Structures are given as C-alpha cells and as structure tokens.
C-alpha cells in the first residue's frame, strides 16, 4: 500500500513569504501529525489532526497553522517566514492515535533565505 | 512532562561489531508507548519497533534486539553484527497516555557510522 506522501520534497522561500506543505496519509489513517526537525532543536511536535479537527498543538507561534480535509489529507501553513523556520518538516499518519505506531513521510525540506 | 534522553550523540563501529544504543525516558504516565525509528540520509523516519509499558518482554528481530527495563526507565537497542547499511541516525521516542497524549517526544538521536 502507498505510504505517507509529502509534497513538495524541497522548497526555497524568502523571508516574509508564506508556504503551504501537503501530506497525504496512508489510506484508512485518519490521524495526521506534523513535526519540525532542525539541527538545534531536534524533532519537535507541531500539531495533530484527527477527522478534520486539531487535537493537539505543540509550542509553536501562531504563524504555524494546519488543517485536515475530509479525505484525511493535511496541509500545514507557515506565514511570514523567518530564517529559523528552515527545517525538515515531517508528516506522520497513524491508525489509532499512534498507539500502534506512526508512519512518517519523507519530509519537505524548507529553506528560508 | 515527557523526556527522552539519548546520551550517545555519535557512535562509530567497524562492520560486524555489535553496538548498543541507549535510551532513557521519563514520564508520569502509567501507560505509555516507546518506539525506535531509523533515519537514513533520505530523511524519512523508518519505524523499527513499538513497545507498550505493560510488556517488558525483550524482542529480537533478525540482527536487531531491544531491552526494555521499566525499573531503570530504559529501552536500549542492540544491533548484532553491524553492517554498513545500518549507518543512520536512530531515534528513541515516547508517547504518553494523558494530556497531549498522541504526540511523540523524541530523543536527540544517535548517529551510527558503520565502516568496513
């Protein structure tokens, strides 16, 4: 079965711009989580969506937002980009809120210049 | 608050050596789940194992084995007869069962370099 698909794979944006990243979970998975990975902070939880509702949110500023559609696909948006937003953004899908495990996508590598 | 500590930042071994990656966790939850993930240079996090807090049985899968000890809050990972393909960053992660339960708390990762 198809895995978690994230698009685009690479992105270069300028400070002040906004960006939208997309994640298509494994078919049948209704939970989608987003993580930011940077060399300095490691892997940090951004938010989780389940059945189009945000269930959890990490400690990130309001510039980071997301949503989930009825087909479980999810998007995350970062507005007014800062240099520090350069990171690998990973999406994970799960069947049972992560109790049985999470399947991650290959990530979107965002570079802000 | 949940916390995962991977004290080993980087480990270098020669192929065929055995290597153990350490993971120590902190949680107040009585029910929790522990995971190991492998991250190759491509960036994707590859699931290796899941263990719940009520199952302390150690597990072996091929060259991989895991030692879960609640008494010391540790969940260590051993690769037997390491191979070059094992070179990657390995993350230990914890999922609690209360509050913002469904998020994963990751350790800082251990970079494993296996050379010929």
């Amino acid at each position: 079965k198809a895995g978690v698909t994230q698009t685009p794979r690479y992105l270069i944006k300028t400070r002040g711009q906004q960006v939208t990243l997309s994640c298509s979970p494994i078919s049948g998975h209704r939970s989608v989580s987003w993580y930011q990975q940077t060399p300095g902070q490691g892997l940090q939880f951004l938010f989780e969506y389940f059945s189009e509702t945000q269930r959890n949110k990490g400690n990130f500023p309001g510039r980071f937002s997301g949503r989930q559609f009825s087909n479980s696909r999810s998007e995350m948006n970062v507005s007014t980009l800062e240099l520090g937003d350069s990171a690998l953004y990973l999406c994970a899908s799960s069947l049972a809120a992560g109790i049985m495990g999470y399947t991650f996508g290959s990530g979107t590598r965002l570079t802000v210049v | 608050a949940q916390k995962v500590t991977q004290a080993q930042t980087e480990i270098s071994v020669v192929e065929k050596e055995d290597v153990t990656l350490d993971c120590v966790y902190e949680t107040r939850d009585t029910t929790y789940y522990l995971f190991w993930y492998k991250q190759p240079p491509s960036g994707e996090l590859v699931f290796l194992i899941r263990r719940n807090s009520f199952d302390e049985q150690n597990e072996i899968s091929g060259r991989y084995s895991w030692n879960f000890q609640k008494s010391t809050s540790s969940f260590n990972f051993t690769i037997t007869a390491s191979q070059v393909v094992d070179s990657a960053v390995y993350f230990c992660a914890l999922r609690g069962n209360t509050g913002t339960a469904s998020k994963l708390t990751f350790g800082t990762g251990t970079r494993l370099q296996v050379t010929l």
Side-chain angles (χ1 to χ4, degrees):
Chain A
K1 59 180 178 183
V4 178
T5 304
Q6 290 188 249
T7 57
R9 191 78 171 88
Y10 300 93
L11 208 48
I12 299 176
K13 288 288 189 178
T14 305
R15 266 184 306 176
Q17 285 186 315
Q18 75 165 15
V19 67
T20 299
L21 312 182
S22 179
C23 172
S24 293
I26 290 174
S27 178
H29 285 193
R30 292 163 64 190
S31 171
V32 174
S33 303
W34 290 89
Y35 290 81
Q36 181 197 63
Q37 185 177 24
T38 60
Q41 299 298 317
L43 280 154
Q44 292 187 289
F45 172 76
L46 279 157
F47 26 65
E48 183 209 7
Y49 288 88
F50 182 82
S51 293
E52 302 179 65
T53 301
Q54 185 181 88
R55 244 188 348 192
N56 290 313
K57 190 176 192 308
N59 189 24
F60 279 82
R63 301 185 296 106
F64 291 81
S65 63
R67 59 178 175 168
Q68 187 179 33
F69 302 95
S70 58
N71 61 358
S72 294
R73 189 177 72 85
S74 177
E75 289 181 347
M76 67 163 281
N77 183 277
V78 188
S79 62
T80 319
L81 284 165
E82 300 176 0
L83 295 178
D85 297 332
S86 295
L88 178 66
Y89 289 89
L90 291 161
C91 168
S93 79
S94 65
L95 187 58
I99 291 175
M100 299 306 295
Y102 301 79
T103 302
F104 283 82
S106 298
T108 293
R109 187 165 295 281
L110 171 65
T111 302
V112 182
V113 298
Chain B
Q2 328 265 17
K3 186 177 179 182
V4 176
T5 302
Q6 294 181 256
Q8 304 150 309
T9 304
E10 191 160 347
I11 301 175
S12 291
V13 298
V14 177
E15 203 176 41
K16 294 190 177 66
E17 283 186 11
D18 298 347
V19 58
T20 295
L21 310 181
D22 298 332
C23 172
V24 175
Y25 62 91
E26 294 177 31
T27 180
R28 291 181 180 177
D29 292 347
T30 53
T31 300
Y32 52 88
Y33 305 87
L34 295 163
F35 303 86
W36 275 96
Y37 283 90
K38 174 182 179 180
Q39 187 175 44
S42 61
E44 181 178 358
L45 285 170
V46 179
F47 170 82
L48 295 177
I49 190 171
R50 160 195 172 273
R51 175 67 70 221
N52 73 52
S53 53
F54 297 108
D55 182 3
E56 288 194 69
Q57 189 173 2
N58 293 327
E59 182 159 337
I60 298 174
S61 176
R63 297 183 297 107
Y64 296 170
S65 63
W66 291 268
N67 184 348
F68 175 33
Q69 292 195 340
K70 283 181 76 171
S71 61
T72 56
S73 297
S74 65
F75 186 42
N76 297 337
F77 172 33
T78 297
I79 301 175
T80 303
S82 59
Q83 299 177 0
V84 172
V85 293
D86 295 328
S87 297
V89 181
Y90 291 85
F91 291 94
C92 180
L94 167 70
R95 178 200 185 282
N97 208 42
T98 57
T100 55
S102 53
K103 79 167 198 176
L104 281 174
T105 299
F106 284 89
T108 50
T110 297
R111 181 177 299 277
L112 175 64
Q113 183 72 41
V114 182
T115 55
L116 293 172

